[in-house]
Structure formats: C-alpha cells, structure tokens
Amino acid sequence: MTIQWFPGHMTRARRQIEEKLKLIDVAIELLDARLPLSSRNPMIDDILKDKPRLVLLNKTDLADPRVTEQWVSYFADKGLKALPIDASSGHRVNEIQPRAEELMAEKFARWEAKGVNPRAVRILIVGIPNVGKSTLINRLAGRKVAATGDRPGVTKGQQWIRVGTGIELLDTPGILWPKFEDQKVGYRLAASGAIKEEILNVEDVAFHLTGYLADAYPGLLQDRYDLGELETLPDPESEFFGDAVVGVMEQIGRRRGCLQGGGIVNLEKASRVLLRDLQTGKLGRISLEKP
Ligand code: G4P
C-alpha cells in the first residue's frame, strides 16, 4: 500500500494521534528492526512528548540478530527500552505486558497511595505504514480485529481490546509518516518494502541495496546467487563504484536467467528478484542499517 503524504495528511495524522494519547497510559512505538531509524517518524519525540513509551523492533525474523542487539543497546543509551519482537510468529510478544507495567510502576504506586485499585494498562500502537501495526494488534488480540493496510485520515469508532488481564489496547493504531528528506532513507524504506516501487525506481533501489549488501553481507549474496568470491567494491565516491555495482547486479541477473535479447541482462528483472529475495528473507537475515 502506498500513502501519499501531503502536509494536510500529516497534520491530520498528528492530531488523531494526539487525541488518542489523551486516552492511554503507554505508547508503543513500532519500528522495523532492519532499519529502526529510517522507519521512525521524524517528529515522534515531539508528538509523544513525555508519554511513557515502549519501543518495539518488529520483523526480527528478517533482521541480523547481532545488529538487532546493537540497536537495543543504542536505544537503551537514549533512555528508551526497546524490545525485539516478531509480530508474525508472536515471538517475545508476551513480554510486552510486563514491560508496559514496568513503565507504569510510578503511576501504579500513586494509585495505590490513593487507595485506587490498579486497572489495565491502556496502550496505543503507533508507527509508519507497513511496519506491522495491524499484525501486532491482531496478534495481541488473538483474532483479526485490525485490517492490515488501513489509511491515515480515515477515522472509525475506536474500541478497546482486552489483552489478557493487564492490557487494554486501542484497536486503531496511530499511523505516522516516514522521513522523506534523506534519499538514503527512502532507498532503505523501499528495499524493506515499506514504500512501493512506484515512488522510487526499482533499479535505483536495487542498485543502492546491492552496493550495501556487497559491502555488509557479501557472503549472503555469494551463497544465494552462487557468485564466487566478490571483489571488494571501490569507494562509493570513486568513479568506478557505479560500474562495479552494476557488474554485481548483472551477475545476479545472469544467475537467475533475467536476460533479454542478445544475452543482455534485464536489470529491472534482476532488481525485482533481489528485492523479493530480501523482503521474503530468502537472502538471509539482513539489517539495512547499523547504529
Ligand atoms: P501496518 O499495519 O503497520 O501497515 O502493517 P501490517 O500489519 O499490515 O504489516 C505489513 C506487512 O508486514 C504484512 O505483509 C505483514 O504480514 C508483515 N509483517 C508484520 N509483522 C511481521 C514480522 O514480524 N515479520 C515478518 N516477516 N513480516 C511481518 P504483507 O505482505 O503486506 O501482507 P501479508 O503477507 O500478511 O498478507
């Protein structure tokens, strides 16, 4: 799903979240474990302000586990507890409630001092499109309550979903826009599948991805496409870098039979193969950015 974010959409999305924030105790900021910074809304601190926040790194099944651990430390240094999860399989989703309760400790103590019985923790999930908000809501609810791929600006009556005894979750997530300013961020988002190819050219996305993978995960590229030993790429600033990257893309295309007339590699097809293999995890567990 592609959302065109115009200033009006952003203002509306922000207002909707600010309304919901009044109702809840803890905000869950859902990020993609493969690209936690690029999948972050640029104004998130300003929007959530001092609302207790739990960061969840989703899709860890696709991410490099060592790098995910580095991201957990990165967020810890910033005073944010980050929990790596996989909403598809439910891996570590059961740790969300105790983490949320930890964040509520002060509030619970205040209630207790006033003789008020603690109630369930009220939670809102926020994140950019495709990060897995609906999947997580459905997983927590244990049934399909949230339609995947809903749009900003469409309001419907919202309801609380009871999760076990300790959580009440708003059934509509807060949908935020990603960063657009930085082109590298755009390429990473597109490679992850968060934004569709109509926005960025598929060959450009695959070009940037190949350059990154040949440097960061050469072994995975070699294994998947039977490439033999990959040569170290020239410096990205050098005039030879582009040819070297296209050379790797051509090798991939050749191995996968992406050819057009005259034995020439069809780079667009090769690009789609590479992106699909990355997004479905066939290339291996890959993080697209490191702290
Ligand atoms: P959103 O509400 O934030 O927009 O995201 P949504 O839940 O719709 O999830 C977007 C895509 O990400 C879905 O795939 C979903 O299955 C996938 N996804 C969510 N969580 C995880 C996870 O932990 N691991 C993996 N590998 N994938 C995850 P889709 O192809 O768009 O749809 P479908 O295949 O589920 O039909």
Side-chain angles (χ1 to χ4, degrees):
M1 174 210 31
T2 309
I3 295 177
Q4 300 287 348
W5 290 97
F6 298 108
H9 285 125
M10 296 184 192
T11 308
R12 195 137 153 233
R14 181 175 178 152
R15 283 210 191 114
Q16 281 180 5
I17 290 183
E18 282 167 350
E19 281 307 306
K20 291 176 182 179
L21 286 176
K22 293 178 191 157
L23 308 173
I24 56 127
D25 304 305
V26 171
I28 285 183
E29 185 189 2
L30 195 60
L31 303 176
D32 188 319
R34 296 168 296 170
L35 56 164
L37 293 189
S38 295
S39 60
R40 211 159 199 220
N41 171 271
M43 298 181 72
I44 191 71
D45 291 338
D46 196 35
I47 294 171
L48 296 183
K49 301 205 172 66
D50 49 10
K51 184 64 77 180
R53 186 189 334 179
L54 177 59
V55 174
L56 298 185
L57 304 174
N58 191 34
K59 310 197 186 187
T60 48
D61 55 314
L62 298 173
D64 180 339
R66 278 173 317 135
V67 179
T68 301
E69 278 317 306
Q70 291 169 14
W71 280 115
V72 170
S73 310
Y74 168 93
F75 284 107
D77 289 346
K78 305 231 171 302
L80 285 168
K81 293 204 168 160
L83 174 68
I85 64 156
D86 166 359
S88 286
S89 74
H91 182 62
R92 297 190 73 174
V93 164
N94 60 356
E95 292 176 46
I96 294 175
Q97 182 177 333
R99 297 280 185 117
E101 282 170 351
E102 258 171 49
L103 291 170
M104 289 286 288
E106 250 177 57
K107 212 171 190 177
F108 282 159
R110 275 204 306 276
W111 287 346
E112 204 179 329
K114 285 196 224 154
V116 178
N117 279 336
R119 56 161 172 73
V121 184
R122 293 192 178 139
I123 292 182
L124 169 71
I125 294 173
V126 301
I128 66 167
N130 274 310
V131 75
K133 298 178 296 300
S134 311
T135 308
L136 179 60
I137 291 174
N138 292 336
R139 167 67 54 188
L140 284 167
R143 65 199 149 93
K144 197 164 183 308
V145 286
T148 50
D150 51 357
R151 309 185 136 263
V154 180
T155 31
K156 55 170 188 174
Q158 54 202 13
Q159 285 177 8
W160 295 105
I161 303 164
R162 283 208 76 101
V163 180
T165 49
I167 293 181
E168 279 173 2
L169 181 67
L170 272 183
D171 69 343
T172 47
I175 305 173
L176 285 165
W177 61 96
K179 289 178 199 166
F180 302 108
E181 309 78 29
D182 182 344
Q183 222 186 17
K184 276 193 189 147
V185 169
Y187 287 126
R188 281 180 209 145
L189 284 166
S192 77
I195 52 181
K196 298 287 179 239
E197 291 112 30
E198 302 98 65
I199 297 182
L200 288 171
N201 176 286
V202 65
E203 286 173 48
D204 285 345
V205 175
F207 177 89
H208 284 267
L209 177 63
T210 307
Y212 172 75
L213 293 177
D215 177 48
Y217 297 97
L220 295 181
L221 272 186
Q222 286 161 207
D223 288 352
R224 175 78 189 156
Y225 304 110
D226 197 14
L227 297 183
E229 185 88 9
L230 277 179
E231 279 178 39
T232 308
L233 290 180
D235 187 274
E237 302 301 321
S238 116
E239 58 178 307
F240 305 109
F241 181 75
D243 281 349
V245 173
V246 171
V248 177
M249 290 169 75
E250 283 175 342
Q251 284 188 61
I252 294 172
R254 230 170 242 120
R255 288 287 179 204
R256 278 289 174 273
C258 308
L259 299 175
Q260 55 198 39
I264 294 171
V265 174
N266 182 327
L267 276 183
E268 189 190 327
K269 266 196 192 159
S271 298
R272 292 192 194 282
V273 165
L274 178 69
L275 289 172
R276 198 179 50 236
D277 284 353
L278 176 84
Q279 291 168 9
T280 53
K282 290 205 178 89
L283 254 180
R285 296 179 68 177
I286 288 170
S287 294
L288 295 170
E289 60 190 14
K290 300 177 179 177

mmCIF file of all heavy atoms in Angstrom, residues 36-69:
data_model
loop_
_atom_site.group_PDB
_atom_site.id
_atom_site.type_symbol
_atom_site.label_atom_id
_atom_site.label_comp_id
_atom_site.label_asym_id
_atom_site.label_seq_id
_atom_site.Cartn_x
_atom_site.Cartn_y
_atom_site.Cartn_z
ATOM 1 N N PRO A 36 15.738 0.643 12.072
ATOM 2 C CA PRO A 36 14.983 1.331 13.125
ATOM 3 C C PRO A 36 14.954 2.849 12.988
ATOM 4 O O PRO A 36 13.954 3.472 13.336
ATOM 5 C CB PRO A 36 15.703 0.920 14.412
ATOM 6 C CG PRO A 36 16.443 -0.322 14.061
ATOM 7 C CD PRO A 36 16.817 -0.183 12.626
ATOM 8 N N LEU A 37 16.013 3.442 12.471
ATOM 9 C CA LEU A 37 15.997 4.908 12.361
ATOM 10 C C LEU A 37 15.218 5.362 11.141
ATOM 11 O O LEU A 37 14.439 6.303 11.191
ATOM 12 C CB LEU A 37 17.415 5.478 12.314
ATOM 13 C CG LEU A 37 18.239 5.315 13.596
ATOM 14 C CD1 LEU A 37 19.525 6.125 13.484
ATOM 15 C CD2 LEU A 37 17.461 5.720 14.834
ATOM 16 N N SER A 38 15.415 4.659 10.033
ATOM 17 C CA SER A 38 14.715 5.050 8.805
ATOM 18 C C SER A 38 13.212 4.797 8.918
ATOM 19 O O SER A 38 12.433 5.450 8.238
ATOM 20 C CB SER A 38 15.280 4.291 7.605
ATOM 21 O OG SER A 38 16.616 4.666 7.379
ATOM 22 N N SER A 39 12.809 3.849 9.765
ATOM 23 C CA SER A 39 11.376 3.562 9.890
ATOM 24 C C SER A 39 10.745 4.360 11.027
ATOM 25 O O SER A 39 9.645 4.078 11.474
ATOM 26 C CB SER A 39 11.152 2.063 10.127
ATOM 27 O OG SER A 39 11.798 1.625 11.299
ATOM 28 N N ARG A 40 11.477 5.373 11.501
ATOM 29 C CA ARG A 40 10.999 6.195 12.599
ATOM 30 C C ARG A 40 10.395 7.486 12.072
ATOM 31 O O ARG A 40 10.945 8.093 11.155
ATOM 32 C CB ARG A 40 12.233 6.568 13.416
ATOM 33 C CG ARG A 40 11.982 6.757 14.843
ATOM 34 C CD ARG A 40 13.200 6.630 15.675
ATOM 35 N NE ARG A 40 12.681 6.395 17.002
ATOM 36 C CZ ARG A 40 13.163 6.897 18.092
ATOM 37 N NH1 ARG A 40 14.250 7.656 18.036
ATOM 38 N NH2 ARG A 40 12.601 6.647 19.249
ATOM 39 N N ASN A 41 9.306 7.905 12.662
ATOM 40 C CA ASN A 41 8.746 9.206 12.281
ATOM 41 C C ASN A 41 9.672 10.319 12.776
ATOM 42 O O ASN A 41 10.125 10.288 13.925
ATOM 43 C CB ASN A 41 7.344 9.360 12.880
ATOM 44 C CG ASN A 41 6.820 10.769 12.687
ATOM 45 O OD1 ASN A 41 7.038 11.634 13.520
ATOM 46 N ND2 ASN A 41 6.166 11.010 11.577
ATOM 47 N N PRO A 42 9.963 11.310 11.922
ATOM 48 C CA PRO A 42 10.928 12.350 12.323
ATOM 49 C C PRO A 42 10.463 13.213 13.495
ATOM 50 O O PRO A 42 11.288 13.826 14.166
ATOM 51 C CB PRO A 42 11.081 13.190 11.049
ATOM 52 C CG PRO A 42 9.933 12.827 10.165
ATOM 53 C CD PRO A 42 9.536 11.430 10.527
ATOM 54 N N MET A 43 9.151 13.256 13.748
ATOM 55 C CA MET A 43 8.665 14.137 14.818
ATOM 56 C C MET A 43 8.171 13.379 16.035
ATOM 57 O O MET A 43 7.473 13.930 16.880
ATOM 58 C CB MET A 43 7.539 15.008 14.276
ATOM 59 C CG MET A 43 8.008 15.891 13.150
ATOM 60 S SD MET A 43 6.695 16.926 12.554
ATOM 61 C CE MET A 43 6.568 18.069 13.921
ATOM 62 N N ILE A 44 8.573 12.121 16.144
ATOM 63 C CA ILE A 44 7.960 11.259 17.154
ATOM 64 C C ILE A 44 8.127 11.782 18.590
ATOM 65 O O ILE A 44 7.193 11.721 19.394
ATOM 66 C CB ILE A 44 8.475 9.791 17.016
ATOM 67 C CG1 ILE A 44 7.653 8.857 17.879
ATOM 68 C CG2 ILE A 44 9.936 9.657 17.342
ATOM 69 C CD1 ILE A 44 6.259 8.619 17.384
ATOM 70 N N ASP A 45 9.321 12.319 18.904
ATOM 71 C CA ASP A 45 9.535 12.796 20.278
ATOM 72 C C ASP A 45 8.600 13.956 20.581
ATOM 73 O O ASP A 45 8.050 14.067 21.668
ATOM 74 C CB ASP A 45 10.989 13.239 20.484
ATOM 75 C CG ASP A 45 11.924 12.043 20.462
ATOM 76 O OD1 ASP A 45 11.451 10.914 20.704
ATOM 77 O OD2 ASP A 45 13.127 12.235 20.180
ATOM 78 N N ASP A 46 8.440 14.796 19.588
ATOM 79 C CA ASP A 46 7.583 15.956 19.727
ATOM 80 C C ASP A 46 6.107 15.543 19.853
ATOM 81 O O ASP A 46 5.322 16.194 20.544
ATOM 82 C CB ASP A 46 7.809 16.806 18.468
ATOM 83 C CG ASP A 46 7.296 18.195 18.628
ATOM 84 O OD1 ASP A 46 7.394 18.699 19.762
ATOM 85 O OD2 ASP A 46 6.796 18.756 17.640
ATOM 86 N N ILE A 47 5.732 14.483 19.184
ATOM 87 C CA ILE A 47 4.334 14.034 19.215
ATOM 88 C C ILE A 47 4.024 13.297 20.513
ATOM 89 O O ILE A 47 3.010 13.548 21.165
ATOM 90 C CB ILE A 47 4.028 13.132 17.989
ATOM 91 C CG1 ILE A 47 4.113 13.959 16.706
ATOM 92 C CG2 ILE A 47 2.647 12.475 18.115
ATOM 93 C CD1 ILE A 47 4.041 13.154 15.424
ATOM 94 N N LEU A 48 4.917 12.393 20.916
ATOM 95 C CA LEU A 48 4.630 11.592 22.127
ATOM 96 C C LEU A 48 4.959 12.345 23.419
ATOM 97 O O LEU A 48 4.483 11.998 24.481
ATOM 98 C CB LEU A 48 5.409 10.270 22.097
ATOM 99 C CG LEU A 48 5.043 9.303 20.960
ATOM 100 C CD1 LEU A 48 5.835 8.004 21.101
ATOM 101 C CD2 LEU A 48 3.552 8.987 20.941
ATOM 102 N N LYS A 49 5.818 13.353 23.283
ATOM 103 C CA LYS A 49 6.254 14.149 24.450
ATOM 104 C C LYS A 49 6.687 13.223 25.585
ATOM 105 O O LYS A 49 7.482 12.330 25.340
ATOM 106 C CB LYS A 49 5.146 15.120 24.854
ATOM 107 C CG LYS A 49 4.781 16.055 23.720
ATOM 108 C CD LYS A 49 4.175 17.344 24.221
ATOM 109 C CE LYS A 49 4.005 18.315 23.070
ATOM 110 N NZ LYS A 49 3.016 17.866 22.055
ATOM 111 N N ASP A 50 6.180 13.424 26.814
ATOM 112 C CA ASP A 50 6.698 12.585 27.898
ATOM 113 C C ASP A 50 5.790 11.408 28.216
ATOM 114 O O ASP A 50 5.858 10.842 29.300
ATOM 115 C CB ASP A 50 6.984 13.433 29.151
ATOM 116 C CG ASP A 50 5.802 14.310 29.482
ATOM 117 O OD1 ASP A 50 4.726 14.121 28.870
ATOM 118 O OD2 ASP A 50 5.937 15.175 30.370
ATOM 119 N N LYS A 51 4.956 11.014 27.265
ATOM 120 C CA LYS A 51 4.128 9.812 27.450
ATOM 121 C C LYS A 51 5.042 8.607 27.608
ATOM 122 O O LYS A 51 5.975 8.441 26.815
ATOM 123 C CB LYS A 51 3.244 9.657 26.209
ATOM 124 C CG LYS A 51 2.248 8.536 26.233
ATOM 125 C CD LYS A 51 1.187 8.662 27.289
ATOM 126 C CE LYS A 51 0.078 9.632 27.001
ATOM 127 N NZ LYS A 51 -0.943 9.694 28.091
ATOM 128 N N PRO A 52 4.844 7.780 28.641
ATOM 129 C CA PRO A 52 5.687 6.582 28.756
ATOM 130 C C PRO A 52 5.669 5.782 27.447
ATOM 131 O O PRO A 52 4.613 5.628 26.834
ATOM 132 C CB PRO A 52 5.009 5.791 29.878
ATOM 133 C CG PRO A 52 4.349 6.832 30.723
ATOM 134 C CD PRO A 52 3.898 7.900 29.765
ATOM 135 N N ARG A 53 6.866 5.372 27.025
ATOM 136 C CA ARG A 53 6.981 4.792 25.683
ATOM 137 C C ARG A 53 7.775 3.497 25.695
ATOM 138 O O ARG A 53 8.812 3.407 26.329
ATOM 139 C CB ARG A 53 7.698 5.803 24.781
ATOM 140 C CG ARG A 53 7.749 5.367 23.357
ATOM 141 C CD ARG A 53 8.619 6.202 22.453
ATOM 142 N NE ARG A 53 8.850 7.590 22.818
ATOM 143 C CZ ARG A 53 9.612 8.412 22.099
ATOM 144 N NH1 ARG A 53 10.183 7.996 20.996
ATOM 145 N NH2 ARG A 53 9.810 9.642 22.486
ATOM 146 N N LEU A 54 7.262 2.529 24.970
ATOM 147 C CA LEU A 54 7.983 1.277 24.775
ATOM 148 C C LEU A 54 8.291 1.180 23.286
ATOM 149 O O LEU A 54 7.390 1.300 22.455
ATOM 150 C CB LEU A 54 7.090 0.106 25.213
ATOM 151 C CG LEU A 54 7.624 -1.305 25.029
ATOM 152 C CD1 LEU A 54 8.926 -1.506 25.788
ATOM 153 C CD2 LEU A 54 6.584 -2.325 25.521
ATOM 154 N N VAL A 55 9.577 0.994 22.965
ATOM 155 C CA VAL A 55 9.960 0.828 21.564
ATOM 156 C C VAL A 55 9.962 -0.660 21.238
ATOM 157 O O VAL A 55 10.549 -1.456 21.974
ATOM 158 C CB VAL A 55 11.364 1.425 21.310
ATOM 159 C CG1 VAL A 55 11.837 1.114 19.891
ATOM 160 C CG2 VAL A 55 11.352 2.933 21.550
ATOM 161 N N LEU A 56 9.281 -1.041 20.173
ATOM 162 C CA LEU A 56 9.321 -2.429 19.728
ATOM 163 C C LEU A 56 10.006 -2.493 18.374
ATOM 164 O O LEU A 56 9.678 -1.729 17.470
ATOM 165 C CB LEU A 56 7.911 -3.021 19.603
ATOM 166 C CG LEU A 56 7.067 -3.106 20.869
ATOM 167 C CD1 LEU A 56 5.753 -3.822 20.566
ATOM 168 C CD2 LEU A 56 7.793 -3.841 21.978
ATOM 169 N N LEU A 57 10.979 -3.393 18.262
ATOM 170 C CA LEU A 57 11.673 -3.608 16.991
ATOM 171 C C LEU A 57 11.050 -4.835 16.349
ATOM 172 O O LEU A 57 11.286 -5.963 16.796
ATOM 173 C CB LEU A 57 13.167 -3.814 17.229
ATOM 174 C CG LEU A 57 13.870 -2.688 18.002
ATOM 175 C CD1 LEU A 57 15.320 -3.072 18.313
ATOM 176 C CD2 LEU A 57 13.828 -1.390 17.197
ATOM 177 N N ASN A 58 10.226 -4.618 15.324
ATOM 178 C CA ASN A 58 9.464 -5.723 14.732
ATOM 179 C C ASN A 58 10.204 -6.336 13.535
ATOM 180 O O ASN A 58 11.158 -5.771 13.026
ATOM 181 C CB ASN A 58 8.092 -5.191 14.294
ATOM 182 C CG ASN A 58 7.145 -6.314 13.912
ATOM 183 O OD1 ASN A 58 7.187 -7.410 14.497
ATOM 184 N ND2 ASN A 58 6.284 -6.073 12.935
ATOM 185 N N LYS A 59 9.723 -7.478 13.105
ATOM 186 C CA LYS A 59 10.282 -8.216 11.957
ATOM 187 C C LYS A 59 11.708 -8.680 12.248
ATOM 188 O O LYS A 59 12.566 -8.686 11.350
ATOM 189 C CB LYS A 59 10.224 -7.390 10.654
ATOM 190 C CG LYS A 59 8.837 -6.797 10.374
ATOM 191 C CD LYS A 59 8.637 -6.348 8.958
ATOM 192 C CE LYS A 59 7.297 -5.631 8.806
ATOM 193 N NZ LYS A 59 6.946 -5.296 7.426
ATOM 194 N N THR A 60 11.966 -9.051 13.494
ATOM 195 C CA THR A 60 13.313 -9.533 13.829
ATOM 196 C C THR A 60 13.630 -10.835 13.117
ATOM 197 O O THR A 60 14.795 -11.197 13.004
ATOM 198 C CB THR A 60 13.478 -9.754 15.344
ATOM 199 O OG1 THR A 60 12.365 -10.505 15.801
ATOM 200 C CG2 THR A 60 13.564 -8.449 16.088
ATOM 201 N N ASP A 61 12.592 -11.530 12.641
ATOM 202 C CA ASP A 61 12.855 -12.762 11.886
ATOM 203 C C ASP A 61 13.625 -12.466 10.594
ATOM 204 O O ASP A 61 14.288 -13.338 10.050
ATOM 205 C CB ASP A 61 11.533 -13.485 11.559
ATOM 206 C CG ASP A 61 10.537 -12.577 10.828
ATOM 207 O OD1 ASP A 61 10.363 -11.427 11.269
ATOM 208 O OD2 ASP A 61 9.953 -13.009 9.816
ATOM 209 N N LEU A 62 13.531 -11.223 10.100
ATOM 210 C CA LEU A 62 14.220 -10.853 8.861
ATOM 211 C C LEU A 62 15.545 -10.126 9.130
ATOM 212 O O LEU A 62 16.348 -9.937 8.223
ATOM 213 C CB LEU A 62 13.317 -9.938 8.016
ATOM 214 C CG LEU A 62 11.985 -10.549 7.538
ATOM 215 C CD1 LEU A 62 11.122 -9.475 6.876
ATOM 216 C CD2 LEU A 62 12.223 -11.704 6.576
ATOM 217 N N ALA A 63 15.748 -9.680 10.367
ATOM 218 C CA ALA A 63 16.906 -8.820 10.677
ATOM 219 C C ALA A 63 18.096 -9.640 11.171
ATOM 220 O O ALA A 63 17.936 -10.759 11.667
ATOM 221 C CB ALA A 63 16.503 -7.795 11.730
ATOM 222 N N ASP A 64 19.266 -9.060 11.058
ATOM 223 C CA ASP A 64 20.508 -9.670 11.538
ATOM 224 C C ASP A 64 20.491 -9.611 13.076
ATOM 225 O O ASP A 64 20.512 -8.521 13.653
ATOM 226 C CB ASP A 64 21.667 -8.837 10.959
ATOM 227 C CG ASP A 64 23.037 -9.344 11.355
ATOM 228 O OD1 ASP A 64 23.140 -10.068 12.369
ATOM 229 O OD2 ASP A 64 24.010 -8.988 10.657
ATOM 230 N N PRO A 65 20.468 -10.775 13.745
ATOM 231 C CA PRO A 65 20.285 -10.755 15.203
ATOM 232 C C PRO A 65 21.364 -9.971 15.959
ATOM 233 O O PRO A 65 21.071 -9.308 16.956
ATOM 234 C CB PRO A 65 20.309 -12.236 15.615
ATOM 235 C CG PRO A 65 20.569 -13.030 14.391
ATOM 236 C CD PRO A 65 20.527 -12.134 13.193
ATOM 237 N N ARG A 66 22.602 -10.009 15.459
ATOM 238 C CA ARG A 66 23.675 -9.265 16.155
ATOM 239 C C ARG A 66 23.415 -7.767 16.085
ATOM 240 O O ARG A 66 23.617 -7.027 17.033
ATOM 241 C CB ARG A 66 25.043 -9.555 15.523
ATOM 242 C CG ARG A 66 25.703 -10.844 16.004
ATOM 243 C CD ARG A 66 26.947 -11.095 15.194
ATOM 244 N NE ARG A 66 26.668 -10.832 13.777
ATOM 245 C CZ ARG A 66 27.452 -10.157 12.956
ATOM 246 N NH1 ARG A 66 28.582 -9.675 13.389
ATOM 247 N NH2 ARG A 66 27.107 -9.953 11.691
ATOM 248 N N VAL A 67 22.971 -7.332 14.917
ATOM 249 C CA VAL A 67 22.711 -5.898 14.747
ATOM 250 C C VAL A 67 21.493 -5.486 15.573
ATOM 251 O O VAL A 67 21.466 -4.398 16.164
ATOM 252 C CB VAL A 67 22.530 -5.556 13.246
ATOM 253 C CG1 VAL A 67 22.236 -4.081 13.065
ATOM 254 C CG2 VAL A 67 23.776 -5.943 12.465
ATOM 255 N N THR A 68 20.503 -6.358 15.654
ATOM 256 C CA THR A 68 19.326 -6.027 16.463
ATOM 257 C C THR A 68 19.742 -5.791 17.918
ATOM 258 O O THR A 68 19.279 -4.844 18.556
ATOM 259 C CB THR A 68 18.276 -7.158 16.368
ATOM 260 O OG1 THR A 68 17.907 -7.303 14.994
ATOM 261 C CG2 THR A 68 17.044 -6.831 17.189
ATOM 262 N N GLU A 69 20.657 -6.629 18.414
ATOM 263 C CA GLU A 69 21.140 -6.423 19.792
ATOM 264 C C GLU A 69 21.830 -5.060 19.926
ATOM 265 O O GLU A 69 21.698 -4.375 20.932
ATOM 266 C CB GLU A 69 22.097 -7.550 20.207
ATOM 267 C CG GLU A 69 21.388 -8.812 20.678
ATOM 268 C CD GLU A 69 20.190 -8.510 21.605
ATOM 269 O OE1 GLU A 69 20.380 -7.804 22.612
ATOM 270 O OE2 GLU A 69 19.064 -8.960 21.297
#
